[in-house]
Amino acid sequence: MLLTRLILTLSLALGLTACGTLTSTPAKQAKTTDVKTLLWVGNSFFYYNNSMHGHVGQLLSAAGGKGYRSTSATISGSGINWHDVEAHFKPGGVASYSFVGDNEVVFNTFDKPFDGVMMMDCSQCPIHPKLQPVFHEFAKKHSDTVRKYGAEPILFMSWAYADKPDMTMPLANEYIKAGKLNNALVVPAGLAFANSLAQRPDLNLYVADKRHPSLMGTYLAASTVMASVYKKNPIGNTYTAGLPKDVAAHLQKVAWETSQTFHAKEGRGNL
């Protein structure tokens, strides 16, 4: 995750590249109840394996979903405080146009570019003694900003390193705490990783650095996002990202069961 380049990717989950024209009066925008358009704000954990948001889009499409749009804004190695979330809501910027058909440009008009903004901190920041206060400070700051523009904040709980499984519960506890303090939905991807490894330790969810996700790890996290954010059961989904069917079925099941158990206990924020 400690790369030197800065990457900003703007793309649609269902194969379009999109942005939009915003109104200048965010206070009048309707409250979000269901997420159809989502901004992903994070780091390389999101963009590995051709970007997690793309896999979520494929899962939703395979489930018959229509009208979903997702944009990824990632900075390599970043913490939550590196991101200027408000900049993504500026009129005429992100989501202001889309490419459709044969590279035809369509200029979009809507009252807000996103229903939700899903954020993650760096992989160890929420439990680092020097950076933990920064995590909670910016979880609140960004949640307040997102709500100002009529969207809902979502926190993505990251996973433990492969060689440091004891990170799982401290990370989970800090994300749960931030979720409660900001009445925000938490996606329990870290718990899904732990549950999968407990059931199928033969499936490697990591690449060689023991931190970033393998394709299986990305697929598991994407399935957990589908279950948590979109409230759709990934079990039986025909999109497998090229993984063996039995492996995809296991990951789908873990994602669904983890999210259901987690939200029954911890709630869903405003979503």
Side-chain angles (χ1 to χ4, degrees), residues 42-267:
N43 48 54
S44 53
F45 274 28
F46 278 168
Y47 71 64
Y48 254 57
N49 303 303
N50 203 27
S51 199
M52 193 184 299
H53 80 286
H55 294 284
V56 174
Q58 294 277 13
L59 286 163
L60 291 170
S61 180
K66 296 183 182 301
Y68 293 101
R69 174 170 55 80
S70 190
T71 301
S72 180
T74 59
I75 302 175
S76 217
S78 68
I80 194 170
N81 60 312
W82 291 24
H83 294 272
D84 182 356
V85 172
E86 188 158 24
H88 299 308
F89 287 90
K90 289 181 179 178
V94 174
S96 59
Y97 57 84
S98 305
F99 288 99
V100 299
D102 188 17
N103 289 326
E104 181 183 356
V105 176
V106 174
F107 290 92
N108 300 317
T109 301
F110 35 66
D111 64 343
K112 60 183 176 182
F114 307 108
D115 297 320
V117 177
M118 184 163 65
M119 302 168 281
M120 70 171 293
D121 205 347
C122 86
S123 57
Q124 60 178 302
C125 291
I127 58 174
H128 192 284
K130 293 184 178 179
L131 295 174
Q132 187 179 88
V134 178
F135 166 65
H136 286 289
E137 176 188 351
F138 278 84
K140 173 172 173 45
K141 179 179 179 180
H142 291 336
S143 293
D144 291 346
T145 295
V146 167
R147 287 200 169 104
K148 182 172 74 171
Y149 290 94
E152 276 298 313
I154 300 167
L155 298 173
F156 180 93
M157 178 200 299
S158 58
W159 47 83
Y161 300 160
D163 57 348
K164 296 184 183 298
D166 56 343
M167 290 174 63
T168 297
M169 289 315 301
L171 280 169
N173 290 338
E174 293 307 315
Y175 274 101
I176 291 168
K177 179 181 177 181
K180 298 288 188 186
L181 288 172
N182 297 286
N183 199 25
L185 175 71
V186 176
V187 176
L191 296 179
F193 264 58
N195 290 338
S196 178
L197 291 167
Q199 297 175 31
R200 291 285 306 270
D202 58 307
L203 299 182
N204 190 359
L205 305 179
Y206 302 87
V207 296
D209 68 6
K210 300 181 181 180
R211 298 184 178 194
H212 289 90
S214 65
L215 180 58
M216 284 186 284
T218 292
Y219 185 83
L220 172 59
S223 297
T224 307
V225 171
M226 180 183 187
S228 291
V229 176
Y230 298 98
K231 297 175 273 191
K232 294 185 181 296
N233 191 341
I235 295 176
N237 196 288
T238 58
Y239 175 70
T240 66
L243 297 170
K245 289 184 178 180
D246 67 306
V247 171
H250 160 75
L251 299 174
Q252 292 169 358
K253 182 173 182 289
V254 169
W256 179 249
E257 291 179 350
T258 300
S259 65
Q260 292 297 100
T261 300
F262 179 80
H263 295 305
K265 179 182 179 182
E266 305 296 347

